[in-house]
């Protein structure tokens, strides 16, 4: 059941790879990007292994392999160790050092906002699905 319908007329530019002239009529490039906070992006906390074996944080937008998000290479470290070393990048973020790719990204997801939204959706679903 759809209880929340949104109409999108602005789209992400995918770090500059999508240009306004590429879009269908009625769509435009997103004009406002979310402000980064010292809480690391919720999407950032995913490991990605690129074809060359390099292990990076952010499975969403880090297609350009930003060196600020690189943990290591699968030929040199197991994934378990890579997970344990994620804190090195997350700690830098919390000190206010944002990777260049993140500063340009429009998909920043503040974990506090994400958690609140998930909690609200869960409570709402439980209330709507209970038997009266």
């Amino acid at each position: 059941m759809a209880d929340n319908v949104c109409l999108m007329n602005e789209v992400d530019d995918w770090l500059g790879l999508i240009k306004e002239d590429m879009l269908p009529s009625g769509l435009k490039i997103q004009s406002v990007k979310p402000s980064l906070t010292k809480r690391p992006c919720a999407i950032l906390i995913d490991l990605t292994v690129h074809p060359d074996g390099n292990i990076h944080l952010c499975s969403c937008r880090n297609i350009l392999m930003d060196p600020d998000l690189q943990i290591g290479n699968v030929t040199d470290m197991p994934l378990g160790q890579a997970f344990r070393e994620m804190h090195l990048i997350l700690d830098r973020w919390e000190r206010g050092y944002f990777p260049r790719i993140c500063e340009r990204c429009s998909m920043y997801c503040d974990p506090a906002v994400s958690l609140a939204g998930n909690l609200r959706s869960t409570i709402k679903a439980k209330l709507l699905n209970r038997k009266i």
Side-chain angles (χ1 to χ4, degrees):
M1 166 167 81
D3 61 350
N4 188 7
V5 178
C6 297
L7 183 61
M8 184 172 79
N9 61 0
E10 290 189 352
V11 298
D12 178 45
D13 70 355
W14 247 85
L15 301 171
L17 296 174
I18 298 174
K19 307 293 183 206
E20 192 97 24
D21 61 355
M22 301 164 94
L23 299 174
S25 176
L27 292 180
K28 61 183 183 176
I29 297 293
Q30 183 177 349
S31 56
V32 177
K33 296 186 183 208
S35 298
L36 302 179
T37 72
K38 288 190 176 182
R39 289 184 293 268
C41 179
I43 302 170
L44 188 72
I45 308 173
D46 286 324
L47 289 182
T48 301
V49 179
H50 290 268
D52 63 359
N54 282 333
I55 305 167
H56 288 257
L57 293 189
C58 183
S59 63
C60 181
R61 292 298 156 97
N62 191 13
I63 60 170
L64 303 175
M65 296 186 268
D66 187 325
D68 292 335
L69 294 175
Q70 183 172 351
I71 302 265
N73 191 289
V74 292
T75 59
D76 303 325
M77 71 169 48
L79 289 177
Q81 181 182 350
F83 273 105
R84 288 189 298 277
E85 295 194 15
M86 287 172 61
H87 76 89
L88 299 172
I89 293 170
L90 301 178
D91 290 349
R92 283 194 309 236
W93 183 297
E94 290 172 350
R95 289 192 308 273
Y97 176 79
F98 307 123
R100 290 171 301 216
I101 198 167
C102 299
E103 290 176 343
R104 295 177 38 217
C105 183
S106 65
M107 298 301 291
Y108 171 68
C109 182
D110 186 326
V113 174
S114 176
L115 182 61
N118 288 340
L119 183 59
R120 184 175 52 247
S121 294
T122 301
I123 291 169
K124 190 177 189 181
K126 291 201 180 284
L127 289 173
L128 291 174
N129 290 325
R130 72 178 180 185
K131 296 192 183 215
I132 299 177

